Amino acid sequence: MSKKTVFITGGAGFIGLHVIPLLLEKGYRVRIFDNMSRGNRDRVNELVATGDVELVEQDVRYGGAVHNAMKGCSHVIHFATVSINKSIADPYESIDINMVGNHNVFAAAADHGVERLVFASSASVYGNPKKLPMHEDDPLNPLTPYCISKRAGEDLLGFYQRTKGLSWIALRFFNVYGPGQKIEAYYTSVINTFIQRLRAGQPPVIDGKGEQSMDFIHVADLARAVVAALECERDNMPINIGTGIDTSIAQLAKILIQAVGVNVEPIFNPREVLVTRRAADITRAREVLGWEPTITVEEGMADLVKTAGVA
């Protein structure tokens, strides 16, 4: 039997490069579709050298390029996106890549009759939650062009499911972290800033009381969820991917102080801070994907500190 090929947009990025080795282990071939504006070329070249990975250096904004490159692929993973903070600074580029790009990938997948499309959605589609943990059926209130495009992406998938029979899963990623992440990544900057200060023997500085929280999910756990979503029996639904635990910024500082091994106390900068909290209800991930996280925040952060932080 010839190997099935997974088409993965943005595959040369942080999460994609953690997913691809798992796909190769499962016997898939992989076609990376990436404009390489932020991709890790050295790592991609290593993967291409295996003989089971190819790189198409192109942009998701060009529908014809997406359609042609997807020929012969059985599965699609759509990661290509503009980050949340960049989407506020430049809404035009964000809408172009995130909205038009989403549509080009989904339309091509429907035309080619792929077996399954997995879309990287985001917990940010919920906006500021009214309650924790956050469940997939909670009201959505996306606040930035990035978050709006993720919600619209889920709606577009529903359209192609109804009209063309596209089979999809949208994974709502919570706060992804791990080795190889760019330091300017929206959710990683606080981790990286704390680590840098602690390594210099300085205490981390926290705005407000540090009550704002995130649900930190390690990229290795998240990558397993992506592969599970590619192969699970049920489809056509969003699924939260997090740990179900909200870690406050104050707790994060303590975890990192311990991981770095310095004797300091955080400094609190008293000012008004919008306290947002996040924790995923991961019941659906357990039931539909047979998945659950295995790496605690303490273990993951200690590992991050050991591996010299983020790239």
Side-chain angles (χ1 to χ4, degrees):
M1 193 178 89
S2 63
K3 289 186 173 183
K4 292 184 173 184
T5 301
V6 179
F7 182 87
I8 178 167
T9 73
F14 165 58
I15 299 173
L17 291 174
H18 282 85
V19 170
I20 291 170
L22 301 186
L23 294 172
L24 296 176
E25 277 174 30
K26 286 204 157 246
Y28 291 101
R29 290 179 54 79
V30 176
R31 187 173 300 159
I32 299 171
F33 187 96
D34 198 305
N35 67 8
M36 298 306 288
S37 62
R38 293 181 300 148
N40 183 335
R41 196 174 289 278
D42 291 345
R43 183 71 185 110
V44 169
N45 289 341
E46 287 172 18
L47 290 164
V48 169
T50 66
D52 280 326
V53 178
E54 57 187 309
L55 170 66
V56 176
E57 197 165 333
Q58 230 342 322
D59 197 296
V60 291
R61 285 174 285 191
Y62 305 113
V66 173
H67 199 278
N68 289 336
M70 203 183 283
K71 277 178 192 154
C73 294
S74 56
H75 297 73
V76 173
I77 299 171
H78 180 38
F79 284 158
T81 194
V82 169
S83 66
I84 198 165
N85 43 351
K86 205 164 176 231
S87 86
I88 297 167
D90 185 357
Y92 292 93
E93 186 192 38
S94 176
I95 296 300
D96 206 16
I97 292 174
N98 295 355
M99 294 282 241
V100 176
N102 282 352
H103 182 252
N104 287 338
V105 173
F106 302 164
D111 285 348
H112 286 299
V114 302
E115 293 176 32
R116 172 68 49 81
L117 184 147
V118 176
F119 173 48
S121 187
S122 167
S124 63
V125 296
Y126 296 110
N128 294 323
K130 302 275 190 295
K131 64 179 179 61
L132 294 185
M134 297 147 76
H135 188 274
E136 289 88 352
D137 296 333
D138 288 349
L140 304 184
N141 182 30
L143 301 171
T144 70
Y146 170 88
C147 316
I148 291 162
S149 72
K150 293 297 186 184
R151 179 190 179 164
E154 293 185 13
D155 290 341
L156 270 175
L157 287 167
F159 168 74
Y160 280 109
Q161 169 205 335
R162 292 188 299 276
T163 57
K164 297 275 188 82
L166 180 66
S167 170
W168 60 273
I169 294 278
L171 298 178
R172 291 178 180 165
F173 295 160
F174 278 68
N175 307 113
V176 191
Y177 74 99
Q181 193 164 21
K182 301 271 189 232
I183 55 171
E184 67 272 17
Y186 187 66
Y187 298 117
T188 315
S189 54
V190 64
I191 301 171
N192 194 58
T193 305
F194 283 2
I195 291 174
Q196 284 180 336
R197 286 187 63 85
L198 291 167
R199 286 209 171 117
Q202 300 170 324
V205 178
I206 297 169
D207 285 336
K209 296 176 182 171
E211 291 168 337
Q212 54 280 36
S213 74
M214 299 184 193
D215 184 337
F216 290 106
I217 177 75
H218 195 279
V219 67
D221 277 337
L222 183 122
R224 287 191 302 103
V226 173
V227 177
L230 214 56
E231 298 182 331
C232 66
E233 287 182 21
R234 292 170 61 190
D235 59 359
N236 308 333
M237 66 180 81
I239 301 178
N240 288 335
I241 302 299
T243 62
I245 297 164
D246 63 316
T247 302
S248 72
I249 300 302
Q251 286 171 306
L252 176 69
K254 286 186 176 164
I255 289 166
L256 289 172
I257 287 167
Q258 192 169 3
V260 175
V262 287
N263 186 20
V264 296
E265 286 293 323
I267 294 172
F268 291 90
N269 181 19
R271 70 183 184 90
E272 284 297 309
V273 174
L274 176 67
V275 175
T276 58
R277 295 180 62 205
R278 280 193 172 176
D281 183 324
I282 55 172
T283 309
R284 187 179 291 181
R286 287 195 180 101
E287 290 174 355
V288 175
L289 304 180
W291 171 92
E292 56 188 307
T294 59
I295 301 167
T296 66
V297 175
E298 290 78 8
E299 290 165 344
M301 294 297 172
D303 180 55
L304 199 61
V305 166
K306 270 206 297 257
T307 56
V310 283

